[in-house]
Amino acid sequence: MRIFPINNVPNFKAGKVHVYSDFDGTYCPAKHHSLHIEGENKYMIDYCHKMKNFFDATEGDIHFHITTGRTFGEYEAISHLLKLRNFQLPIPETFIAKNGSDEYVRLGDNITFYKDGIFPFEYCEPDLVKEAEIQKLTNWDGKKIKTFIKDLSAKYQLRMVEADSENSVRDYGNNSLFSKGKLNPDEWMKMPVNDGIIQQHEKPVVDYVIGSRNDGNLKINLIFSPDYGFCSEKNYIYDNFMNEIKEYLRQQNVEYDMSWEAANAGNYYRNRCSITPKINGGALTKLYDTKEALKNAVKSGDIIIVAGDGPNDFEMLNPLEYIDLKDLEICKKESNCKEFFDSDMNKKLLCLKDVFLGKNNKLKQELENCGFIKKLKDMPFYSIIIERKNPKLDILRETFGLIGKVVSVKEGELDKGIKEIIKQHSTGKDEFKNSMSEKFKQYILGAQKNIENDEKSKKYPAVAIGLIIAGIGGYTAYRLIRKGNSSEIVTNQTTDDEF
């Protein structure tokens, strides 16, 4: 039997980097609508090639994940659009759909998708570990809840329509909830209007229907008829429908968050309801996954990098969200500036900005004495914000950019931001640096490594030369002594003992 050597043995020690990146505008710089136009976004060829080289060079050391505001179907649709344009953007190891909903582990690879057209994720195969963890926290069982809602709609004789997206038919075709035969986007026009204001009425003028967006097992998004809120008969039906859902969740002891989006022109005058597991007192968001990842990174000696460009990334990008509540309580107890810890997030950020700018030395001293600033700086967590006009993210950039926790890069330079952070972290953390694989260290710190070697060679040149001269001199003397004291013929043959 032939034994083949094992190459590329996985490195299980610390020194890994886990990147969680938003998709649109962060990882994928091309806008969705522009991808429909053949010949647009020619720069994407070079960008995709650059990112492929980056991930090839860091394989096994950087673990890349997408966390997007898109549903599974929306992400699949734009991936096929990228493929159509021959923009071979590397597929992530996992992707998390709809702002923190289900996580999907890659089943295939770039070749199976870009060459064979097989999408490497399956909607019906989300990560069961995440579902189990959330169920343990909240009693949420998405499959059971969705089955109950579907049966309930039949009981109330509400036609249920399911689709991947509530966005335009132009972008998603039959996968849009507003495509032909599903929800009519113009149905609101049938309702009575006076001076541009929809009027209250008793009898329904539009269908009894309910739309359900395919948000996975961890989120539910319901879309109602346009006259819900305007028609007394419809109000009675839909109110009872929602009350039964609430009662079911109460009976199942489910910790849930329910929020509403009011009818407006942007949603075709349809009230919408979002139901998710309740996490830390609010809805399930992108923050859940990155906080869990940080806990594991601390245990493993790795680092977490998150990247984003929009308002829905704010929580995920904010370093303050990652300080443990127990640690905050300890810091508060040991501080004389308790009002800082009791203030809202916006106030905290403004105060910290002043601290890092040197404008509030009293608070700075207090936060240093109680250990708050040390905890903040020591966290193996960093953010990358894509530079563009987004006022909500400015405060994060302006505050934490001063201590290196937030890095800003131009669109299309995500790899540059990742490299900058790894280099910064490894320079200040010898334990992490020493745990990096040699391949990874050379790729990120190659120039620095050469400098270190040069310094060593400059430090010890005289010693090295002296040892060489001494060795040659000793060997020559030895041969002369043997020649003078013996009649043996001296040859060029040597033994191991002669060296």
Side-chain angles (χ1 to χ4, degrees):
M1 179 178 69
R2 295 182 63 187
I3 305 296
F4 295 93
I6 300 175
N7 298 318
N8 300 321
V9 178
N11 181 4
F12 293 106
K13 64 181 181 179
K16 307 298 181 186
V17 179
H18 305 269
V19 180
Y20 287 79
S21 173
D22 173 54
F23 186 73
D24 293 274
T26 304
Y27 182 50
C28 179
K31 291 180 171 55
H32 191 148
H33 68 85
S34 69
L35 290 170
H36 289 280
I37 306 170
E38 190 173 357
E40 289 285 308
N41 306 302
K42 291 182 180 180
Y43 68 91
M44 281 291 290
I45 297 289
D46 289 338
Y47 174 75
C48 293
H49 185 67
K50 178 183 73 166
M51 294 309 296
K52 179 184 183 302
N53 289 341
F54 176 69
F55 289 126
D56 285 348
T58 58
E59 186 177 7
D61 296 302
I62 290 181
H63 299 282
F64 186 68
H65 314 268
I66 287 295
T67 176
T68 177
R70 292 176 174 273
T71 65
F72 182 99
E74 289 171 342
Y75 177 68
E76 182 177 12
I78 197 169
S79 296
H80 281 288
L81 197 51
L82 287 166
K83 177 181 179 297
L84 178 66
R85 298 291 170 234
N86 198 31
F87 301 151
Q88 298 188 21
L89 192 62
I91 304 291
E93 291 183 20
T94 71
F95 100 88
I96 302 156
K98 207 56 193 173
N99 293 317
S101 188
D102 294 27
E103 182 171 13
Y104 302 89
V105 179
R106 187 178 65 201
L107 303 174
D109 55 24
N110 291 298
I111 294 175
T112 59
F113 179 58
Y114 290 113
K115 182 181 178 182
D116 304 327
I118 302 171
F119 192 58
F121 301 99
E122 288 285 347
Y123 181 73
C124 59
E125 295 186 28
D127 178 26
L128 298 180
V129 174
K130 179 178 179 179
E131 285 194 23
E133 289 173 346
I134 288 180
Q135 186 169 8
K136 189 185 298 184
L137 287 171
T138 65
N139 254 4
W140 177 279
D141 186 328
K143 288 184 178 179
K144 283 179 63 177
I145 297 170
K146 291 195 170 190
T147 298
F148 173 81
I149 291 175
K150 190 174 289 188
D151 292 342
L152 190 65
S153 65
K155 171 185 171 181
Y156 278 86
Q157 297 183 2
L158 298 173
R159 180 172 67 95
M160 176 167 273
V161 175
E162 297 177 275
D164 293 334
S165 177
E166 82 278 26
N167 291 318
S168 72
V169 176
R170 182 196 64 182
D171 285 337
Y172 298 106
N174 290 332
N175 292 323
S176 169
L177 276 165
F178 294 96
S179 58
K180 188 175 181 180
K182 296 184 176 71
L183 303 181
N184 182 356
D186 299 323
E187 201 163 28
W188 64 273
M189 296 179 181
K190 299 177 183 178
M191 295 192 296
V193 176
N194 186 13
D195 292 331
I197 299 173
I198 297 174
Q199 300 297 296
Q200 295 289 329
H201 50 282
E202 292 186 10
K203 293 297 180 181
V205 293
V206 295
D207 288 343
Y208 277 97
V209 67
I210 189 162
S212 176
R213 190 178 62 201
N214 295 329
D215 278 13
N217 294 329
L218 292 175
K219 289 195 174 186
I220 294 167
N221 190 278
L222 302 176
I223 302 176
F224 298 86
S225 289
D227 53 359
Y228 181 31
F230 299 100
C231 171
S232 55
E233 184 177 310
K234 277 282 181 69
N235 293 347
Y236 177 80
I237 296 294
Y238 283 127
D239 284 348
N240 279 285
F241 175 80
M242 291 305 300
N243 286 336
E244 286 208 41
I245 292 176
K246 293 176 185 177
E247 179 61 19
Y248 172 79
L249 295 173
R250 187 192 67 78
Q251 289 177 359
Q252 299 297 314
N253 296 314
V254 178
E255 293 288 328
Y256 70 94
D257 178 89
M258 181 179 289
S259 62
W260 289 83
E261 179 187 340
N264 58 70
N267 59 27
Y268 306 111
Y269 296 99
R270 294 173 180 268
N271 286 291
R272 303 185 184 203
C273 179
S274 175
I275 311 171
T276 79
K278 181 178 281 187
I279 303 294
N280 294 325
L284 176 64
T285 67
K286 291 183 177 186
L287 182 62
Y288 173 83
D289 301 280
T290 50
K291 285 185 77 169
E292 290 298 305
L294 180 60
K295 291 177 186 176
N296 294 327
V298 170
K299 295 175 185 175
S300 304
D302 299 336
I303 66 173
I304 298 297
I305 300 174
V306 301
D309 73 323
N312 65 324
D313 299 317
F314 180 84
E315 276 189 327
M316 178 181 75
L317 294 167
N318 183 2
L320 289 190
E321 295 285 2
Y322 295 84
I323 299 179
D324 191 87
L325 291 176
K326 291 180 181 178
D327 289 336
L328 281 176
E329 285 300 317
I330 293 171
C331 291
K332 177 183 174 181
K333 185 178 179 181
E334 297 180 359
S335 170
N336 292 321
C337 289
K338 292 179 172 50
E339 62 274 14
F340 168 81
F341 296 96
D342 293 333
S343 60
D344 61 28
M345 182 59 73
N346 188 58
K347 180 67 175 176
K348 281 191 181 79
L349 291 170
L350 290 173
C351 288
L352 278 178
K353 181 180 175 182
D354 284 345
V355 165
F356 297 142
L357 285 171
K359 294 181 178 180
N360 192 337
N361 289 326
K362 179 184 176 182
L363 179 59
K364 178 182 179 182
Q365 191 64 52
E366 284 293 328
L367 295 181
E368 285 178 344
N369 291 343
C370 73
F372 176 83
I373 289 181
K374 185 177 188 305
K375 287 184 185 298
L376 182 62
K377 290 183 176 180
D378 285 350
M379 280 193 310
F381 170 86
Y382 300 87
S383 296
I384 298 172
I385 295 177
I386 306 301
E387 295 175 2
R388 60 164 51 92
K389 290 183 179 179
N390 195 319
K392 185 170 184 180
L393 300 183
D394 285 346
I395 186 65
L396 298 180
R397 183 187 296 109
E398 293 166 358
T399 301
F400 298 108
L402 297 168
I403 60 170
K405 279 292 173 184
V406 171
V407 171
S408 296
V409 297
K410 294 179 181 178
E411 194 173 64
E413 294 186 348
L414 179 61
D415 58 320
K416 180 180 177 181
I418 296 171
K419 288 179 187 176
E420 182 179 334
I421 287 170
I422 299 170
K423 187 174 291 187
Q424 173 190 324
H425 186 82
S426 59
T427 301
K429 302 286 191 301
D430 287 341
E431 186 177 350
F432 175 82
K433 178 181 176 181
N434 294 334
S435 297
M436 295 169 71
S437 72
E438 288 304 315
K439 174 178 73 77
F440 192 33
K441 194 183 298 183
Q442 180 63 36
Y443 180 75
I444 299 294
L445 307 172
Q448 181 175 328
K449 185 175 179 182
N450 291 335
I451 290 171
E452 290 173 355
N453 291 337
D454 289 343
E455 288 174 350
K456 288 179 182 178
S457 65
K458 289 176 184 177
K459 187 175 180 180
Y460 304 110
V463 176
I465 293 170
L467 288 172
I468 292 170
I469 293 172
I472 294 172
Y475 175 61
T476 303
Y478 168 76
R479 288 175 63 87
L480 288 173
I481 291 170
R482 281 194 63 183
K483 188 173 183 179
N485 296 332
S486 172
S487 59
E488 293 179 4
I489 299 173
V490 179
T491 70
N492 288 330
Q493 292 179 340
T494 61
T495 68
D496 290 340
D497 292 338
E498 290 177 322
F499 287 96

